[in-house]
Amino acid sequence: MVELTRAQEERARRLHCEAVVVDTHCDTLMQFMPPSYDQPPARRLGERSERGHLDLPRMVEGGVDCQTFAMYTGRREGQPDALLVANQMADVFYREMEANAGGIVPVTTTTEIVAAKDVGKRSGLLAIEGAEPLMGDLGVLRNFYRLGVRMLSFTWNWRTPFADGIAADRAESRLPDLGVKAMDEMDRLGIVLDVSHMSDTCFWDVTDVKKGAFIASHSNSRLVCDHKRNLTDDMIRALADHGGVMGMNFAPAFVAKEGATVEKLVDHIDHIVRIVGPDYVGLGSDFDGIGAPPVGLEDVSKMPNITRELVRRGYEDEDIVKILGGNHLRVFGQVLK
Ligand SMILES: [Zn+2]
């Protein structure tokens, strides 16, 4: 990390504290799942660990206010126990939230996120990554809404009844009718659509039919780092046209061809701001779902290094607050009821 002047350090600290810092993706729930009935989970939310990337003590150190916790259940369509695993993960989410109620609360609206910060608490938003647990059924989608799910991606790389992922991309691939129906139902209920992991062709179908904003919870710029999980400039412009936001992913392969660092991550923010302005980019670390994170972003406690780098590069206060979470709060405010 490049040195900052004392005034820059103070400005970075103040902005990071003032901002509602939002991270739209982590895979930490898997760490809280017991491997079997008679074994304890690998980690607990309330215990500071040297392993992995995210727990409540390190969220506090890193000044992250609202963390999306994704339920990721399976790699391929027809995963027979995906519905069971998602139910178990939702239970684990609430168990960990209840065990740490003095420091973090489950939330379903922007008002609740801001209210939690106002009383010095963190918040957790429940999401589904990959629609396998829905088993192609909108009734199951509605029940997950009742369980508190407020963000959904239709695919984790493979084909589901709702969309094709990047590993199932075909020239003729189109968003199925069920994906269109699910988007309408999500608009009605108030669930944020997340297009990270979706095939390019299905992404373009979404932009054709989607009313209002959607997000790419953990995807970077494909021009800065050529990877299918990142978005092309045209895709970024389309996402911005819809008023959406993309959360910057810390996975080293999505950040840089080699030698991922916090500076190289901020290069993605620079590029996105250059082409569409400061209103469409945020954070989506993918902590506990990635290998070794970039230098300077080793775990969630290092999140302030992004703010420091934005200050060093001369970003305005207002834009830094938007990038740290204001942009995501805008979309949550529009979609969540
Ligand atoms: Zn992912």
Side-chain angles (χ1 to χ4, degrees), residues 290-305:
I290 58 177
V295 174
L297 289 170
E298 287 77 5
D299 65 17
V300 66
S301 73
K302 302 291 180 66
M303 215 59 127
N305 283 338

PDB file of all heavy atoms in Angstrom, residues 290-305:
ATOM      1  N   ILE A 290     -13.598 -17.613  -2.231  1.00  0.00           N
ATOM      2  CA  ILE A 290     -12.469 -17.423  -3.148  1.00  0.00           C
ATOM      3  C   ILE A 290     -11.182 -17.939  -2.506  1.00  0.00           C
ATOM      4  O   ILE A 290     -11.140 -18.179  -1.300  1.00  0.00           O
ATOM      5  CB  ILE A 290     -12.276 -15.921  -3.510  1.00  0.00           C
ATOM      6  CG1 ILE A 290     -12.038 -15.070  -2.253  1.00  0.00           C
ATOM      7  CG2 ILE A 290     -13.488 -15.410  -4.270  1.00  0.00           C
ATOM      8  CD1 ILE A 290     -11.774 -13.592  -2.517  1.00  0.00           C
ATOM      9  N   GLY A 291     -10.149 -18.112  -3.320  1.00  0.00           N
ATOM     10  CA  GLY A 291      -8.845 -18.501  -2.795  1.00  0.00           C
ATOM     11  C   GLY A 291      -8.190 -17.313  -2.105  1.00  0.00           C
ATOM     12  O   GLY A 291      -8.879 -16.502  -1.486  1.00  0.00           O
ATOM     13  N   ALA A 292      -6.882 -17.211  -2.213  1.00  0.00           N
ATOM     14  CA  ALA A 292      -6.167 -16.136  -1.524  1.00  0.00           C
ATOM     15  C   ALA A 292      -6.613 -14.787  -2.077  1.00  0.00           C
ATOM     16  O   ALA A 292      -6.471 -14.516  -3.265  1.00  0.00           O
ATOM     17  CB  ALA A 292      -4.670 -16.304  -1.717  1.00  0.00           C
ATOM     18  N   PRO A 293      -7.173 -13.925  -1.235  1.00  0.00           N
ATOM     19  CA  PRO A 293      -7.629 -12.609  -1.718  1.00  0.00           C
ATOM     20  C   PRO A 293      -6.446 -11.713  -2.100  1.00  0.00           C
ATOM     21  O   PRO A 293      -5.298 -12.046  -1.808  1.00  0.00           O
ATOM     22  CB  PRO A 293      -8.374 -12.029  -0.521  1.00  0.00           C
ATOM     23  CG  PRO A 293      -8.551 -13.130   0.458  1.00  0.00           C
ATOM     24  CD  PRO A 293      -7.447 -14.106   0.196  1.00  0.00           C
ATOM     25  N   PRO A 294      -6.734 -10.586  -2.762  1.00  0.00           N
ATOM     26  CA  PRO A 294      -5.658  -9.673  -3.182  1.00  0.00           C
ATOM     27  C   PRO A 294      -4.836  -9.161  -2.002  1.00  0.00           C
ATOM     28  O   PRO A 294      -5.352  -9.075  -0.871  1.00  0.00           O
ATOM     29  CB  PRO A 294      -6.428  -8.508  -3.828  1.00  0.00           C
ATOM     30  CG  PRO A 294      -7.744  -9.072  -4.220  1.00  0.00           C
ATOM     31  CD  PRO A 294      -8.064 -10.121  -3.197  1.00  0.00           C
ATOM     32  N   VAL A 295      -3.599  -8.829  -2.273  1.00  0.00           N
ATOM     33  CA  VAL A 295      -2.746  -8.194  -1.263  1.00  0.00           C
ATOM     34  C   VAL A 295      -3.401  -6.891  -0.827  1.00  0.00           C
ATOM     35  O   VAL A 295      -3.824  -6.094  -1.669  1.00  0.00           O
ATOM     36  CB  VAL A 295      -1.334  -7.919  -1.846  1.00  0.00           C
ATOM     37  CG1 VAL A 295      -0.490  -7.113  -0.851  1.00  0.00           C
ATOM     38  CG2 VAL A 295      -0.649  -9.228  -2.200  1.00  0.00           C
ATOM     39  N   GLY A 296      -3.535  -6.711   0.477  1.00  0.00           N
ATOM     40  CA  GLY A 296      -4.197  -5.523   1.009  1.00  0.00           C
ATOM     41  C   GLY A 296      -5.669  -5.752   1.307  1.00  0.00           C
ATOM     42  O   GLY A 296      -6.332  -4.880   1.863  1.00  0.00           O
ATOM     43  N   LEU A 297      -6.209  -6.924   0.909  1.00  0.00           N
ATOM     44  CA  LEU A 297      -7.623  -7.244   1.176  1.00  0.00           C
ATOM     45  C   LEU A 297      -7.733  -8.672   1.710  1.00  0.00           C
ATOM     46  O   LEU A 297      -8.615  -9.435   1.305  1.00  0.00           O
ATOM     47  CB  LEU A 297      -8.450  -7.099  -0.106  1.00  0.00           C
ATOM     48  CG  LEU A 297      -8.663  -5.672  -0.603  1.00  0.00           C
ATOM     49  CD1 LEU A 297      -9.280  -5.673  -2.001  1.00  0.00           C
ATOM     50  CD2 LEU A 297      -9.553  -4.880   0.361  1.00  0.00           C
ATOM     51  N   GLU A 298      -6.834  -9.028   2.619  1.00  0.00           N
ATOM     52  CA  GLU A 298      -6.697 -10.423   3.055  1.00  0.00           C
ATOM     53  C   GLU A 298      -7.946 -10.965   3.743  1.00  0.00           C
ATOM     54  O   GLU A 298      -8.218 -12.162   3.686  1.00  0.00           O
ATOM     55  CB  GLU A 298      -5.483 -10.568   3.973  1.00  0.00           C
ATOM     56  CG  GLU A 298      -4.136 -10.480   3.256  1.00  0.00           C
ATOM     57  CD  GLU A 298      -3.706  -9.055   2.882  1.00  0.00           C
ATOM     58  OE1 GLU A 298      -4.423  -8.093   3.258  1.00  0.00           O
ATOM     59  OE2 GLU A 298      -2.672  -8.903   2.213  1.00  0.00           O
ATOM     60  N   ASP A 299      -8.672 -10.117   4.405  1.00  0.00           N
ATOM     61  CA  ASP A 299      -9.965 -10.519   4.973  1.00  0.00           C
ATOM     62  C   ASP A 299     -10.806  -9.254   5.165  1.00  0.00           C
ATOM     63  O   ASP A 299     -10.372  -8.148   4.807  1.00  0.00           O
ATOM     64  CB  ASP A 299      -9.796 -11.331   6.269  1.00  0.00           C
ATOM     65  CG  ASP A 299      -9.183 -10.526   7.413  1.00  0.00           C
ATOM     66  OD1 ASP A 299      -9.167  -9.281   7.348  1.00  0.00           O
ATOM     67  OD2 ASP A 299      -8.723 -11.151   8.383  1.00  0.00           O
ATOM     68  N   VAL A 300     -12.012  -9.419   5.724  1.00  0.00           N
ATOM     69  CA  VAL A 300     -12.950  -8.289   5.787  1.00  0.00           C
ATOM     70  C   VAL A 300     -12.415  -7.154   6.668  1.00  0.00           C
ATOM     71  O   VAL A 300     -12.800  -5.992   6.492  1.00  0.00           O
ATOM     72  CB  VAL A 300     -14.352  -8.771   6.233  1.00  0.00           C
ATOM     73  CG1 VAL A 300     -14.317  -9.283   7.672  1.00  0.00           C
ATOM     74  CG2 VAL A 300     -15.399  -7.671   6.089  1.00  0.00           C
ATOM     75  N   SER A 301     -11.493  -7.463   7.578  1.00  0.00           N
ATOM     76  CA  SER A 301     -10.949  -6.391   8.429  1.00  0.00           C
ATOM     77  C   SER A 301     -10.139  -5.383   7.613  1.00  0.00           C
ATOM     78  O   SER A 301      -9.880  -4.273   8.070  1.00  0.00           O
ATOM     79  CB  SER A 301     -10.086  -6.981   9.553  1.00  0.00           C
ATOM     80  OG  SER A 301      -8.856  -7.447   9.043  1.00  0.00           O
ATOM     81  N   LYS A 302      -9.744  -5.755   6.385  1.00  0.00           N
ATOM     82  CA  LYS A 302      -8.920  -4.870   5.548  1.00  0.00           C
ATOM     83  C   LYS A 302      -9.747  -3.974   4.620  1.00  0.00           C
ATOM     84  O   LYS A 302      -9.203  -3.250   3.790  1.00  0.00           O
ATOM     85  CB  LYS A 302      -7.940  -5.708   4.701  1.00  0.00           C
ATOM     86  CG  LYS A 302      -7.005  -6.596   5.516  1.00  0.00           C
ATOM     87  CD  LYS A 302      -6.001  -5.750   6.301  1.00  0.00           C
ATOM     88  CE  LYS A 302      -5.057  -6.597   7.137  1.00  0.00           C
ATOM     89  NZ  LYS A 302      -4.149  -7.431   6.346  1.00  0.00           N
ATOM     90  N   MET A 303     -11.071  -4.051   4.737  1.00  0.00           N
ATOM     91  CA  MET A 303     -11.941  -3.285   3.843  1.00  0.00           C
ATOM     92  C   MET A 303     -11.584  -1.791   3.785  1.00  0.00           C
ATOM     93  O   MET A 303     -11.690  -1.177   2.714  1.00  0.00           O
ATOM     94  CB  MET A 303     -13.390  -3.484   4.290  1.00  0.00           C
ATOM     95  CG  MET A 303     -14.400  -3.517   3.206  1.00  0.00           C
ATOM     96  SD  MET A 303     -14.172  -4.795   1.962  1.00  0.00           S
ATOM     97  CE  MET A 303     -15.768  -5.573   1.971  1.00  0.00           C
ATOM     98  N   PRO A 304     -11.151  -1.168   4.896  1.00  0.00           N
ATOM     99  CA  PRO A 304     -10.825   0.270   4.824  1.00  0.00           C
ATOM    100  C   PRO A 304      -9.718   0.587   3.807  1.00  0.00           C
ATOM    101  O   PRO A 304      -9.592   1.755   3.399  1.00  0.00           O
ATOM    102  CB  PRO A 304     -10.368   0.601   6.258  1.00  0.00           C
ATOM    103  CG  PRO A 304     -11.092  -0.387   7.118  1.00  0.00           C
ATOM    104  CD  PRO A 304     -11.119  -1.664   6.294  1.00  0.00           C
ATOM    105  N   ASN A 305      -8.925  -0.408   3.398  1.00  0.00           N
ATOM    106  CA  ASN A 305      -7.879  -0.126   2.409  1.00  0.00           C
ATOM    107  C   ASN A 305      -8.462   0.311   1.064  1.00  0.00           C
ATOM    108  O   ASN A 305      -7.807   1.029   0.297  1.00  0.00           O
ATOM    109  CB  ASN A 305      -6.972  -1.347   2.216  1.00  0.00           C
ATOM    110  CG  ASN A 305      -5.979  -1.497   3.362  1.00  0.00           C
ATOM    111  OD1 ASN A 305      -5.690  -0.527   4.066  1.00  0.00           O
ATOM    112  ND2 ASN A 305      -5.465  -2.702   3.550  1.00  0.00           N
TER     113      ASN A 305
END
